[in-house]
């Protein structure tokens, strides 16, 4: 926790808004997508999706993967509590929804479905997009699947398996957005990053969640930023965006959203 507080202060000192951004690509992304606060119809459906989960007080038995939880002490958890603590905020969900549209994404991969708030955020009103999402815990995956069905999000393919088993089955699929939100450990994050490299094209974006969550994740983020195939990175504190666009000068941005 101490690490997170220190990291946040450092982020506040280093971060800027669009005014210090001289790259046209990043400037447009920040002003037209990150900072676009025009209300969208999809946001209403996304709120309904999250509210339905927050109203679900069933208990499920959760199998923990990766770095585990700082909030939950038991494996018996209420769906509503999972939605509140593990699921992304509506603000972040809205940003994911905009990003799919802004990048004209048609193929998305998410590692870490949980109860599907992030997945639904990318899927709602984006019917032409094919989303593959991977969740290791069977009972959590079942809750997500039921909610996708009740919102008719049938363009989501949910793989109930570990990331380790699922990644090799993706063979030669190419994705426009890859959202990595599970198993926040250095070695695993870097392993996924390296495995995912072959599933990208020049304009693909990788999004890593919780890049400042621990000293380990901080170290993983530093290594990713230095990778020779990475051109632009954007640190927004919770998420790290990684671009591979060959036409960009290598540059690391720190942006408040
Ligand atoms: C933080 S939650 C995902 C939140 C979700 N992406 C969202 O936006 O609402 C992380 C999920 O990843 C799953 N997970 C973590 N490590 C995993 C692994 N190695 N294989 C499969 N699932 C894993 C956990 O079970 C958990 O449900």
């Amino acid at each position: 926790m101490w690490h997170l507080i220190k990291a946040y202060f450092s982020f506040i000192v280093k971060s800027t808004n669009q005014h210090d951004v001289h790259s046209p690509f990043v400037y447009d992304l920040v002003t037209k997508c990150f900072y676009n606060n025009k209300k969208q119809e999809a946001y209403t459906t996304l709120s309904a999706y999250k509210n339905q989960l927050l109203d679900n007080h069933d208990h499920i038995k959760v199998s923990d993967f990766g770095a585990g939880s700082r909030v939950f002490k038991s494996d018996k958890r209420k769906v509503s509590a999972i939605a509140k603590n593990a699921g992304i905020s509506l603000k972040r969900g809205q940003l994911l929804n905009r990003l799919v549209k802004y990048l004209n994404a048609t193929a998305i991969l998410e590692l870490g479905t949980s109860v599907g708030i992030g997945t639904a955020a990318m899927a709602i009103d984006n019917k032409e997009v094919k989303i593959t999402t991977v969740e290791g815990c069977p009972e959590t995956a079942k809750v997500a699947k039921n909610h996708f069905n009740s919102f008719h999000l049938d363009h989501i393919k949910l793989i109930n398996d570990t990331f380790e088993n699922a990644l090799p089955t993706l063979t030669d699929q190419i994705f426009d957005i890859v959202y990595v939100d599970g198993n926040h450990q250095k070695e695993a994050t870097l392993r996924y990053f390296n495995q995912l490299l072959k599933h990208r094209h020049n304009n693909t974006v990788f999004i890593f969640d919780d890049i400042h969550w621990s000293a380990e994740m901080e170290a993983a983020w530093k290594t990713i930023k230095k990778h020779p195939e990475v051109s632009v990175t954007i640190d927004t504190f919770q998420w790290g965006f990684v671009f591979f666009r060959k036409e960009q000068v290598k540059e690391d941005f720190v942006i408040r959203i």
Side-chain angles (χ1 to χ4, degrees):
M1 186 52 91
W2 180 233
H3 173 86
L4 202 59
I5 296 167
K6 270 198 330 202
Y8 189 66
F9 277 109
S10 162
F11 174 81
I12 291 296
V13 172
K14 288 190 212 148
S15 61
T16 61
N17 55 20
Q18 77 272 24
H19 297 302
D20 290 313
V21 173
H22 301 295
S23 150
F25 168 73
V26 177
Y27 184 88
D28 279 355
L29 176 71
V30 170
T31 54
K32 296 181 184 164
C33 178
F34 287 5
Y35 291 170
N36 175 356
N37 49 27
K38 222 167 101 202
K39 205 164 164 10
Q40 319 260 350
E41 250 182 69
Y43 300 170
T44 312
T45 316
L46 178 60
S47 295
Y49 185 97
K50 187 161 181 175
N51 285 338
Q52 206 179 86
L53 286 159
L54 292 172
D55 285 342
N56 181 341
H57 301 299
D58 293 347
H59 283 83
I60 60 168
K61 188 172 181 298
V62 169
S63 327
D64 244 331
F65 289 89
S69 168
R70 280 180 182 159
V71 178
F72 296 109
K73 300 287 169 250
S74 148
D75 62 354
K76 279 259 181 215
R77 296 175 196 167
K78 264 190 186 181
V79 171
S80 54
I82 299 172
K84 190 164 162 241
N85 296 299
I88 52 166
S89 67
L90 283 179
K91 189 179 160 210
R92 294 269 161 184
Q94 292 170 359
L95 172 54
L96 279 183
N97 184 272
R98 290 198 293 282
L99 193 70
V100 173
K101 294 186 171 83
Y102 182 79
L103 297 176
N104 289 320
T106 56
I108 297 174
L109 173 68
E110 177 185 45
L111 296 186
T113 319
S114 186
V115 285
I117 300 170
T119 333
M122 296 187 280
I124 290 167
D125 275 5
N126 292 322
K127 286 276 179 196
E128 64 299 338
V129 185
K130 192 169 171 270
I131 304 180
T132 304
T133 183
V134 185
E135 173 54 55
C137 168
E139 294 204 17
T140 306
K142 200 167 145 200
V143 172
K145 185 83 191 135
N146 289 340
H147 283 260
F148 296 155
N149 289 343
S150 74
F151 280 77
H152 310 290
L153 300 174
D154 37 23
H155 48 313
I156 296 173
K157 179 183 171 195
L158 173 57
I159 302 177
N160 178 207
D161 209 334
T162 61
F163 303 160
E164 288 68 13
N165 287 340
L167 281 169
T169 68
L170 300 174
T171 55
D172 53 1
Q173 288 181 68
I174 300 292
F175 301 99
D176 306 303
I177 297 177
V178 175
Y179 173 36
V180 181
D181 185 11
N183 200 359
H184 299 318
Q185 303 186 73
K186 179 182 172 191
E187 184 275 326
T189 301
L190 292 176
R191 184 162 29 88
Y192 303 146
F193 171 77
N194 284 311
Q195 279 179 284
L196 288 164
L197 285 173
K198 70 171 181 151
H199 296 286
R200 75 187 157 97
H201 55 75
N202 190 54
N203 293 328
T204 297
V205 59
F206 286 3
I207 306 168
F208 287 91
D209 184 65
D210 270 340
I211 50 173
H212 299 290
W213 192 70
S214 62
E216 274 204 22
M217 283 303 286
E218 196 84 53
W221 175 239
K222 274 195 185 134
T223 304
I224 290 169
K225 286 196 292 184
K226 279 197 218 129
H227 191 280
E229 287 177 48
V230 169
S231 56
V232 166
T233 67
I234 309 176
D235 172 353
T236 65
F237 193 69
Q238 175 148 2
W239 284 341
F241 292 77
V242 180
F243 291 91
F244 303 89
R245 291 160 52 90
K246 286 200 181 352
E247 60 274 43
Q248 297 292 141
V249 176
K250 195 167 176 69
E251 199 168 354
D252 301 315
F253 296 86
V254 183
I255 307 270
R256 284 187 292 275
I257 57 173

